[in-house]
Amino acid sequence: MTPFDYHAPKTLRSAMRLVQEFGDDAKVLAGGHSLIPSMKLRLAAPSVVIDLGGVAGLKRVTAGNETITIGALATHYAVESHRLLPSKCSLLPETAAEIGDAQVRNRGTVGGSIAHADPAADWPATMLALDAQFDIAGPDGERAVAASDFFVDLFITDLQPGEVLTGIRIATPPENSGGAYVKMRQSASGFALAGVAAQVTLDDAGNCASVAVGVTGVAPAAYRAHAVEDALVGQGIDAVADAAAHAADGVEEFQEDHHASGDYRAHLARVFTQRALSQAIDRAA
Amino acid sequence: MKIEVTVNGEHQSYDVEPRMLLVHFLREVVGLTGTHVGCETSLCGACSVMLNGDAVKSCTVLAVQADGAEITTIEGLAQNGELHPIQEGFWECHGLQCGFCTPGMIIAAHQLLERNPKPNEADIRRGIEGNLCRCTGYQHIVDAVQYASKKMTR
Ligand code: FES
Ligand code: FES
């Protein structure tokens, strides 16, 4: 690790001031489970690190009847162990529990993972499937951006210079909804070779009134599998297999490395989409 | 940079470089070498310590991030010369061979038993999934955690 100056602001306001002051020289530190490894490898070598760990109020997770909020600094474990989330939106704790291992979940944060936008991270798929809104603080005040507009490319998001992700908002799913996150783990790292989050709401006849599917690990950025969704809306569980066949439609470039080829990842996307949708529908019923 | 930490109940202040990892701080500055460095890439778990009650991989935490924190290392578990029940379990059930992974395993088991005092075998294997052992094949470690669970919930 190359040397750096370390700042630990106590308020978001002073954090934002530091971010403006140091600009591109600075990196914002949340749980440190992406940034610190990158710094050890010197993939990142910021001269200033601004640690948000002490900023009051960014760790809260709330689960209301209308809205679920997750502070950007909430750990994966905070979501995994939240008392109300299993009944309000089980997709969230289920995703959290799939990340890394116990020690990593204790420390890594939801916001950090999202802002880092690793192409194999778990949260992007789930945030897409839940139509999450991301709250962002910047030099000109605050703005919100939908998950579907946020993940742009490999490690690239809609976050602009000087902006910081502060929280996540999700509309609490209605009755008759269910979700599931399933993934194929790369066995050493635990990252997703392919991971699929599905969230469905059923109508009175047991057909899908709404379907949302997020896929991670397969393309440079996590994406919504719209072709799957379109094929399944208005249909029941019998249509899942055919719909899931579209899980990699429209992907122009596949992630490809020594762990898995692009073809294999596309295959996994289809298989895991089928599994995620079947489970989600099961749970919604 | 100046930090204040409480390590195994002892409160002290130290001067550290911001880039120093918590594990190096514990081993080289505080002088507690029970916490091991295996991979230094958050995979093996040998460096696990309790930070404000949470098991963390101290190779992936900066010492400066621990400013104001309470840290428990493997050295802090035994009380008045008596082994902690988890340590005793590893002793009784042959939960170690070379011992390299053991401090981290015990910290991970400690966290698991705090959150789930009566884990089944699958819970235990999941609880220690962030810790690698190259000797035991894990079965004796699972036995050791079960031993501790029984003793601690009696
Ligand atoms: S040394 Fe920290 S996880 Fe291996
Ligand atoms: S006892 Fe040797 S690595 Fe576990």
Side-chain angles (χ1 to χ4, degrees):
Chain A
M1 232 183 267
T2 51
F4 54 86
D5 288 331
Y6 173 85
H7 296 270
K10 291 276 173 271
T11 63
L12 186 59
R13 180 190 284 252
S14 49
M16 294 310 294
R17 225 181 351 248
L18 290 163
V19 170
Q20 308 316 326
E21 182 181 341
F22 293 109
D24 283 351
D25 297 335
K27 272 283 187 189
V28 169
L29 177 67
H33 275 48
S34 302
L35 182 58
I36 294 175
S38 308
M39 287 169 66
K40 286 183 198 169
L41 296 168
R42 302 199 178 180
L43 294 173
S47 55
V48 175
V49 168
I50 302 164
D51 182 1
L52 300 184
V55 173
L58 287 184
K59 293 196 170 123
R60 253 164 77 87
V61 180
T62 66
N65 290 333
E66 304 278 300
T67 310
I68 293 163
T69 64
I70 302 173
L73 269 279
T75 61
H76 308 309
Y77 180 70
V79 176
E80 180 186 0
S81 62
H82 194 276
R83 216 164 29 89
L84 298 175
L85 283 178
S87 59
K88 295 257 191 260
C89 182
S90 67
L91 180 53
L92 287 167
E94 179 164 290
T95 305
E98 281 293 322
I99 296 170
D101 53 58
Q103 292 96 312
V104 167
R105 293 193 292 275
N106 274 345
R107 194 76 193 155
T109 63
V110 182
S113 168
I114 288 169
H116 185 60
D118 190 296
D122 300 289
W123 282 121
T126 292
M127 293 301 160
L128 286 165
L130 291 172
D131 253 331
Q133 292 283 321
F134 299 149
D135 291 325
I136 293 169
D140 313 316
E142 290 172 14
R143 70 183 179 107
V145 56
S148 51
D149 295 326
F150 185 80
F151 301 106
V152 177
D153 205 343
L154 201 70
F155 298 110
I156 296 176
T157 68
D158 187 50
L159 278 175
Q160 301 302 312
E163 289 190 329
V164 172
L165 176 69
T166 56
I168 297 128
R169 271 175 301 123
I170 292 161
T172 306
E175 297 283 301
N176 305 325
S177 299
Y181 180 68
V182 288
K183 84 190 223 201
M184 176 71 126
R185 284 178 156 234
Q186 198 277 312
S187 50
S189 71
F191 272 96
L193 287 179
V196 179
Q199 180 74 25
V200 302
T201 304
L202 300 182
D203 61 22
D204 294 340
N207 292 324
C208 294
S210 73
V211 184
V213 177
V215 181
T216 190
V218 175
Y223 63 91
R224 276 279 291 263
H226 290 294
V228 176
E229 300 169 6
D230 294 344
L232 195 57
V233 169
Q235 312 283 316
I237 193 147
D238 295 341
V240 164
D242 284 342
H246 298 290
D249 285 11
V251 175
E252 281 164 17
E253 190 191 342
F254 287 94
Q255 284 297 98
E256 209 147 10
D257 55 25
H258 55 289
H259 299 305
S261 67
D263 279 352
Y264 182 50
R265 283 187 154 91
H267 170 73
L268 289 176
R270 292 188 280 265
V271 172
F272 283 86
T273 296
Q274 184 173 350
R275 289 185 195 168
L277 282 169
S278 306
Q279 281 183 31
I281 292 174
D282 229 35
R283 290 171 183 172
Chain B
M1 213 191 118
K2 235 180 138 92
I3 61 168
E4 287 194 23
V5 288
T6 305
V7 183
N8 299 332
E10 233 169 274
H11 185 91
Q12 238 180 304
S13 63
Y14 300 88
D15 205 12
V16 298
E17 232 194 304
R19 63 173 166 170
M20 177 173 261
L21 297 175
L22 180 59
V23 68
H24 294 143
F25 166 74
L26 291 169
R27 290 176 56 87
E28 289 157 24
V29 180
V30 187
L32 296 172
T33 54
T35 304
H36 291 165
V37 186
C39 63
E40 219 182 67
T41 53
S42 17
L43 288 170
C44 75
C47 63
S48 299
V49 300
M50 304 296 288
L51 178 66
N52 288 333
D54 294 327
V56 302
K57 294 183 169 176
S58 62
C59 72
T60 310
V61 178
L62 301 169
V64 288
Q65 286 179 285
D67 187 20
E70 293 215 13
I71 298 165
T72 304
T73 69
I74 187 70
E75 289 93 342
L77 289 186
Q79 294 297 329
N80 312 320
E82 288 251 343
L83 290 182
H84 186 281
I86 304 174
Q87 293 173 304
E88 190 186 308
F90 274 69
W91 176 289
E92 291 295 334
C93 302
H94 304 284
L96 65 148
Q97 286 179 31
C98 79
F100 196 86
C101 70
T102 313
M105 281 289 178
I106 289 177
I107 294 291
H110 186 257
Q111 173 91 90
L112 170 70
L113 293 177
E114 252 175 20
R115 291 177 179 170
N116 179 3
K118 291 183 176 176
N120 63 27
E121 180 176 344
D123 297 335
I124 295 173
R125 288 186 184 271
R126 182 167 152 76
I128 59 169
E129 82 182 322
N131 296 68
L132 302 179
C133 175
R134 301 197 68 178
C135 304
T136 63
Y138 301 97
Q139 187 56 50
H140 290 299
I141 295 177
V142 173
D143 296 345
V145 179
Q146 270 164 343
Y147 177 102
S149 160
K150 277 201 197 94
K151 178 151 184 179
M152 289 164 76
T153 52
R154 220 184 355 235

